[in-house]
Amino acid sequence: MAAPESPSLASDLDRPGEGRLTHAPADHPAVPRGKVGVVLANLGTPDATDYWSMRRYLNEFLSDKRVVDYADWKWQPLLQLVILSRRPFTSGEAYRGIWNTEQDESPLLTITREQTRKVAEGLAERHGDRVVVDFCMRYGNPSTDSVLRRLQAEGCERILFFPLYPQYASPTTATANDQAFRTLMKLKWQPALRTVPAYFEHPAYLDALASSVREAFDAAETPPEVLVASYHGVPKRYLLEGDPYHCQCQKTTRLLRERLGWEVGAIQTAFQSKFGPEEWVGPATVEHVAELARQGKKHIAVISPAFSADCVETLEEIQEEIRDSFLEAGGETFTYIPCLNARDDHVDALLSVIENELGGWV
């Protein structure tokens, strides 16, 4: 004899009203059906470009043990007394150069909000108001804690937490997840939480990346001779300690090259944003593009496959420091290919990842 099916909350609720339990007496209060939350999580942004706003943001960022894992007795005096007395000025200047003055916010915040809006529209078409979509920042605002608490207050009993980093890394994906779990540690009634894994191999992500490259090359007055895939760097020690980021970056480059049908060497991998005295994975983008110019490559393009949205590392570091390094070494044309941002094919890729990870929940 077949075993009886297990009852579910959905089967207990009257479908038309979605509020009255079928087995409850008539005077039983309405029970709202639990919703599912989806949170897009990005790295973070300062609230403004002034010294104190930058200092608060940098202090939170550089005090994160996932980012700088030195012992506090060694790191904090250096951070508080030296780095944070100077770096807010230089970082503030960099942010002012890219700041969205119309909305008085960083481009990362503007783009992440637009990505969230489009993802919300896509999920609403498929699931109605059952799924609630929001976004948060690991550092700065809107904070992870405030967004998760807001979703719970809206009735989200299950939450899919999506760090917007195609490749997994401890200083990005892991710290975003850490912050989400810190909020759960403080809640009396925790929602069920799923985290989205790295999606650098996802076909839709690779298709969107390849399309952005083809469009940029077709639009270039002088076709680039080499495409440099520039990823945010990490200390080499992280690789040796088991962080898969470096390997996933190398594989992203290979998969993109194969998607484009290009020969080996047409796309080269490099890493940017070195910080501190340790040896980092390389080659360093700023040095690599100069070397390409000295080798006679006069026309190059640079793309940032590890960033889901343009930010200070792409809009300022790549388009100014790295571009200048190439041109000063003898390069002639430098093409920056924007991040996927809120492109429709990128949003479709994010929706595909989300739908897969929501399996059994909607």
Side-chain angles (χ1 to χ4, degrees), residues 38 103 105 209 269:
V38 174
Q103 295 182 246
E105 62 187 24
L209 208 58
T269 300

Side-chain angles (χ1 to χ4, degrees), residues 166-307:
Q167 301 81 15
Y168 175 97
S170 173
T172 53
T173 311
T175 191
N177 291 338
D178 288 347
Q179 197 72 347
F181 289 124
R182 286 190 188 100
T183 294
L184 263 62
M185 290 170 65
K186 296 179 285 187
L187 297 178
K188 294 295 185 186
W189 186 0
Q190 296 176 331
L193 185 75
R194 287 179 180 172
T195 61
V196 176
Y199 57 99
F200 68 99
E201 296 178 289
H202 196 286
Y205 162 72
L206 292 169
D207 285 341
L209 208 58
S211 293
S212 73
V213 172
R214 292 191 191 98
E215 291 168 12
F217 272 58
D218 289 344
E221 292 184 10
T222 304
E225 301 164 83
V226 175
L227 173 62
V228 176
S230 181
Y231 301 85
H232 197 292
V234 293
K236 187 175 182 180
R237 171 172 56 86
Y238 285 24
L239 167 64
L240 301 177
E241 291 173 350
D243 191 308
Y245 176 71
H246 179 265
C247 298
Q248 292 183 1
C249 291
Q250 296 286 357
K251 190 170 184 180
T252 301
T253 299
R254 176 175 65 79
L255 293 174
L256 174 59
R257 178 181 61 77
E258 292 173 356
R259 219 37 160 229
L260 292 166
W262 292 359
E263 62 183 19
V264 174
I267 308 180
Q268 301 181 13
T269 300
F271 297 88
Q272 63 185 85
S273 309
K274 183 180 184 299
F275 175 79
E278 279 193 81
E279 180 184 1
W280 280 39
V281 294
T285 307
V286 68
E287 299 169 1
H288 187 64
V289 297
E291 181 59 28
L292 287 174
R294 287 191 287 268
Q295 292 174 0
K297 303 295 185 183
K298 301 300 183 183
H299 315 285
I300 69 169
V302 176
I303 192 171
S304 300
F307 295 95

Side-chain angles (χ1 to χ4, degrees), residues 130-197:
R130 179 77 194 282
V131 179
V132 181
V133 184
D134 209 335
F135 73 95
C136 69
M137 297 292 172
R138 169 59 183 90
Y139 316 104
N141 295 301
S143 70
T144 302
D145 185 82
S146 67
V147 170
L148 291 179
R149 289 177 182 273
R150 182 164 62 247
L151 289 183
Q152 187 187 45
E154 291 183 28
C156 293
E157 297 176 356
R158 296 168 173 158
I159 296 176
L160 181 68
F161 191 76
F162 191 173
L164 291 177
Y165 314 111
Q167 301 81 15
Y168 175 97
S170 173
T172 53
T173 311
T175 191
N177 291 338
D178 288 347
Q179 197 72 347
F181 289 124
R182 286 190 188 100
T183 294
L184 263 62
M185 290 170 65
K186 296 179 285 187
L187 297 178
K188 294 295 185 186
W189 186 0
Q190 296 176 331
L193 185 75
R194 287 179 180 172
T195 61
V196 176

Side-chain angles (χ1 to χ4, degrees), residues 64-188:
D64 185 351
K65 279 289 195 290
R66 290 284 195 180
V67 176
V68 182
D69 59 359
Y70 301 149
D72 282 344
W73 68 265
K74 179 189 299 184
W75 174 243
Q76 282 298 322
L78 177 63
L79 176 64
Q80 301 299 329
L81 300 176
V82 179
I83 296 172
L84 291 181
S85 66
R86 302 173 182 173
R87 187 155 178 172
F89 292 108
T90 57
S91 293
E93 182 180 358
Y95 270 96
R96 281 191 290 276
I98 65 165
W99 202 248
N100 180 349
T101 54
E102 183 177 337
Q103 295 182 246
D104 193 22
E105 62 187 24
S106 73
L108 178 68
L109 182 56
T110 305
I111 294 165
T112 305
R113 184 186 295 110
E114 180 65 6
Q115 290 171 330
T116 304
R117 183 187 68 79
K118 287 189 172 184
V119 167
E121 289 177 352
L123 290 174
E125 290 177 2
R126 306 175 193 192
H127 306 293
D129 63 358
R130 179 77 194 282
V131 179
V132 181
V133 184
D134 209 335
F135 73 95
C136 69
M137 297 292 172
R138 169 59 183 90
Y139 316 104
N141 295 301
S143 70
T144 302
D145 185 82
S146 67
V147 170
L148 291 179
R149 289 177 182 273
R150 182 164 62 247
L151 289 183
Q152 187 187 45
E154 291 183 28
C156 293
E157 297 176 356
R158 296 168 173 158
I159 296 176
L160 181 68
F161 191 76
F162 191 173
L164 291 177
Y165 314 111
Q167 301 81 15
Y168 175 97
S170 173
T172 53
T173 311
T175 191
N177 291 338
D178 288 347
Q179 197 72 347
F181 289 124
R182 286 190 188 100
T183 294
L184 263 62
M185 290 170 65
K186 296 179 285 187
L187 297 178
K188 294 295 185 186

